[in-house]
Amino acid sequence: MTKKILIIVVALSFISCDKENGNNTEIDKEQTAYIRANTVDTLRIGSNSLVLEAYLWRDFMPSSPPNGRPMLSINKIICTDMIKIPDNISMIKQYVFYDDEIWVANYENEELTPNTAEYEMERISINGPKWGPQIYVDVISQIHDAETNKDYYIEQKNVYVGRTD
């Protein structure tokens, strides 16, 4: 009995740690409906028009486990007017939709490319699900405007999940 309780406690701690990091594939249906209803493909904040570019893949290189590594995602918002993205704009979280499943992940804080143009912002999410590869997903990025304390959602549909070998 004690062994079963210990196994349950350990398993629950892994699950809660994963959700604390913002990585999970469960989301409330009402929240999903709200996000979908408030998502645009071009986001206008002040004088900036922003679009999302998303790149997702799974690694199957020889050093990977036999069934590949979990999904990685790089999301980039780009100001279409090539105007500097203001400091009050930040990328908070991504939502990746595949059929009836959703991967929700907070972005890692580190900057990927130090020489990113001032009209672009790029973030990565790691340890995603093992969907695909060679499937199509919809990606939504949650953007926060600290000046107005408002969140926005921007989407890129039909994003191909690639594969590295």
Side-chain angles (χ1 to χ4, degrees):
M1 181 71 167
T2 306
K3 189 174 181 179
K4 286 182 183 179
I5 292 172
L6 180 61
I7 291 170
I8 291 170
V9 169
V10 170
L12 287 174
S13 70
F14 280 119
I15 291 168
S16 65
C17 286
D18 196 33
K19 288 190 179 186
E20 284 174 16
N21 292 330
N23 290 316
N24 65 60
T25 55
E26 297 176 16
I27 188 171
D28 182 274
K29 288 183 182 188
E30 287 179 22
Q31 185 180 11
T32 300
Y34 174 83
I35 291 168
R36 287 283 200 180
N38 289 285
T39 296
V40 296
D41 59 2
T42 302
L43 178 60
R44 186 106 176 126
I45 300 178
S47 62
N48 297 89
S49 291
L50 305 170
V51 295
L52 175 67
E53 284 187 6
Y55 307 94
L56 292 92
W57 72 95
R58 294 200 38 226
D59 186 2
F60 289 85
M61 294 287 208
S63 62
S64 298
N67 64 344
R69 296 193 188 280
M71 192 178 301
L72 290 167
S73 174
I74 295 178
N75 292 181
K76 183 187 292 191
I77 56 171
I78 301 168
C79 182
T80 59
D81 305 322
M82 298 180 121
I83 298 170
K84 180 185 185 302
I85 296 176
D87 293 335
N88 56 294
I89 304 297
S90 58
M91 298 173 73
I92 303 299
K93 188 180 289 191
Q94 77 163 7
Y95 301 85
V96 179
F97 293 80
Y98 176 61
D99 292 335
D100 292 334
E101 296 183 85
I102 304 167
W103 171 33
V104 181
N106 294 327
Y107 291 116
E108 301 293 315
N109 286 329
E110 71 244 18
E111 189 175 345
L112 295 176
T113 313
N115 297 327
T116 302
E118 64 183 8
Y119 59 88
E120 298 178 344
M121 185 181 295
E122 187 176 68
R123 296 291 182 265
I124 187 170
S125 296
I126 60 174
N127 294 323
K130 289 189 172 185
W131 301 333
Q134 301 169 333
I135 59 170
Y136 289 89
V137 297
D138 294 340
V139 179
I140 296 175
S141 180
Q142 181 179 349
I143 309 298
H144 183 74
D145 180 354
E147 192 172 283
T148 62
N149 199 29
K150 188 171 179 185
D151 288 335
Y152 300 92
Y153 300 94
I154 187 170
E155 178 176 42
Q156 183 182 359
K157 291 185 177 213
N158 297 315
V159 178
Y160 184 73
V161 178
R163 171 187 176 113
T164 57
D165 287 299

